[in-house]
Amino acid sequence: MFWNIYSKRLLSCLRNKDQLIWIWAFPLILATLFYFTLSSVGEADNLKAIPTGVVTDAAYEADPMFGQVLDQVGSGEDALLNITEYTRENEADRDLETGKIAGYILLQDNTPKLMVKQDGMNQTILKSFLDRYVQTEGNIKAIMEKNPDYNLNWEEIMGGASLTENMSLSSQPYSPILNPYYGLIAMVCMYGGMQGLMSITYLQGNLSPLGARRMMAPLSRIRVIFCDMTGSITVHMMSLLFLLFYITVILKVDFGNKLPLLVLTCFVGSILGVAFGTAVSCLSKLGESMKVGILVSVTMLCCFGAGMMESSMKYLIDQKFPVISWLNPAARISDALYCLYYFDDYQRYGQNIAVIMAMSAVLLLLSGVSLRRQSYESI
């Protein structure tokens, strides 16, 4: 009997076109949009070597100190400049006009001059570099005159001394693009409420003819609900696993190396979403379309607080309204995923999972009490 009800529930979920759109297609479209929108964000802080021209005329040859500085800042993996040498100024002008270089440097009266075509970030960096060189040139010359054999590291001098050391509290590198994906997964988990709402609709005799027939069947209502909920969670979990596959394998977004716990989080979130839908359906006497509207509205509001639309919103609510944050199911799901990626211990992750399970238990308990009290004078 279990397999009969369970299999029919699976077929019913897979044949529902509205749910196929909202739970399967819509998340894939959003994930693709996130990929094209956020793919360049992670590279925004990685400055590339600036294409720069240098006129190597007689004035340049007469100033070996400046040449040594350019050699050091234009070499290595973290080079500031990608230098192209020109023997004549008109050659540099030609490449500047075509955009091959951001600017070029020439020496006039023993002072470096920067020639650019337009303003921009690269041009500003070049101007700051030359200004710093001019300011420190006198001191460096004095040191070299007193200690001609002293080996100066021009890259350190021009870059400034660093009194701090970059340290990471996590074994995973920081990624600014993960929060929207975590919010998306939380949204799909909450959209499991559509599965739960449909399950209850097909169990209530006053909402659908199918519900009326099922209420007349000589089966325990608890067994029917259990079979339906199991089928709903199975189909919903399939959509979540497909979304994870698409994000991690097709889009190649790194979610860390804790895949089993990632799947566990999605499974717990799926139960919460289905429980949320059953509660909305059982505790409200509105029509099905109104219930779907409530479910979608609450889901999007929770996902906004979880940082899917604006990453800083989750942090703001955590700081200003911590109680609201802990009562937000989407925020708990996204935070659990966040903990899996960044934290090496599982204390905060366990707290999030415990809260998600507690929310699911409360919603299912309310739904069970409501269904148990329902009766019909005639069907």
Side-chain angles (χ1 to χ4, degrees), residues 351-365:
Q351 293 175 352
N352 283 299
I353 295 298
V355 171
I356 294 172
M357 295 178 65
M359 289 180 179
S360 303
V362 171
L363 292 173
L364 290 174
L365 180 62

Side-chain angles (χ1 to χ4, degrees), residues 26-42 175-189 240 243-256 262 265-266 303 306-311 314 330 333-338 341-342:
F26 182 61
L28 297 182
I29 295 173
L30 278 183
T32 305
L33 292 177
F34 286 164
Y35 175 77
F36 287 111
T37 304
L38 304 173
S39 58
S40 61
V41 173
S175 176
I177 68 172
L178 290 181
N179 280 343
Y181 287 106
Y182 290 158
L184 174 62
I185 294 175
M187 183 195 75
V188 179
C189 288
L240 280 167
L243 177 63
L244 286 178
F245 173 82
Y246 180 75
I247 294 175
T248 57
V249 178
I250 305 300
L251 301 183
K252 299 186 182 303
V253 178
D254 184 14
F255 279 169
L262 183 65
T265 306
C266 292
C303 291
M308 189 179 79
M309 297 80 168
E310 176 59 46
S311 298
K314 180 178 181 296
I333 296 172
S334 65
D335 194 65
L337 298 171
Y338 180 92
Y341 183 82
Y342 286 109

Side-chain angles (χ1 to χ4, degrees), residues 47-48 80 95 158 164 198 317 326 345 348 350:
L47 296 178
K48 297 182 179 179
L80 176 65
D95 284 350
M158 297 305 297
T164 60
M198 188 173 67
I317 296 177
W326 279 99
D345 62 83
R348 182 170 170 178

Side-chain angles (χ1 to χ4, degrees), residues 142-369:
I143 294 175
M144 295 296 292
E145 290 175 0
K146 294 181 180 180
N147 302 280
D149 297 330
Y150 185 73
N151 185 20
L152 287 172
N153 190 324
W154 290 95
E155 189 174 5
E156 290 185 0
I157 293 172
M158 297 305 297
S162 176
L163 302 179
T164 60
E165 179 181 358
N166 291 328
M167 298 183 64
S168 176
L169 299 178
S170 171
S171 58
Q172 296 290 345
Y174 170 71
S175 176
I177 68 172
L178 290 181
N179 280 343
Y181 287 106
Y182 290 158
L184 174 62
I185 294 175
M187 183 195 75
V188 179
C189 288
M190 294 295 293
Y191 272 172
M194 296 184 181
Q195 301 280 4
L197 190 149
M198 188 173 67
S199 295
I200 299 303
T201 300
Y202 292 160
L203 284 173
Q204 292 180 303
N206 62 328
L207 295 181
S208 65
L210 177 59
R213 292 196 299 270
R214 298 184 77 186
M215 287 297 97
M216 296 177 62
L219 292 174
S220 169
R221 186 176 297 186
I222 298 298
R223 291 181 60 185
V224 176
I225 293 174
F226 175 76
C227 295
D228 271 17
M229 293 284 289
T230 305
S232 298
I233 293 173
T234 300
V235 173
H236 189 230
M237 192 62 194
M238 289 167 56
S239 68
L240 280 167
L241 291 176
F242 185 72
L243 177 63
L244 286 178
F245 173 82
Y246 180 75
I247 294 175
T248 57
V249 178
I250 305 300
L251 301 183
K252 299 186 182 303
V253 178
D254 184 14
F255 279 169
N257 54 3
K258 300 174 182 176
L259 182 60
L261 291 178
L262 183 65
V263 174
L264 174 63
T265 306
C266 292
F267 177 69
V268 176
S270 177
I271 295 176
L272 175 59
V274 174
F276 173 57
T278 60
V280 170
S281 183
C282 292
L283 301 177
S284 173
K285 295 183 180 180
L286 299 174
E288 182 179 356
S289 59
M290 291 296 296
K291 291 179 181 179
V292 172
I294 293 174
L295 191 149
V296 173
S297 300
V298 174
T299 296
M300 299 312 297
L301 181 62
C302 291
C303 291
F304 176 74
M308 189 179 79
M309 297 80 168
E310 176 59 46
S311 298
S312 61
M313 184 57 60
K314 180 178 181 296
Y315 176 78
L316 177 64
I317 296 177
D318 283 341
Q319 296 298 314
K320 302 296 183 180
F321 310 101
V323 176
I324 296 178
S325 177
W326 279 99
L327 292 177
N328 183 351
R332 292 308 96 214
I333 296 172
S334 65
D335 194 65
L337 298 171
Y338 180 92
C339 294
L340 282 180
Y341 183 82
Y342 286 109
F343 294 171
D344 295 327
D345 62 83
Y346 300 101
Q347 179 180 358
R348 182 170 170 178
Y349 172 75
Q351 293 175 352
N352 283 299
I353 295 298
V355 171
I356 294 172
M357 295 178 65
M359 289 180 179
S360 303
V362 171
L363 292 173
L364 290 174
L365 180 62
L366 292 175
S367 302
V369 172

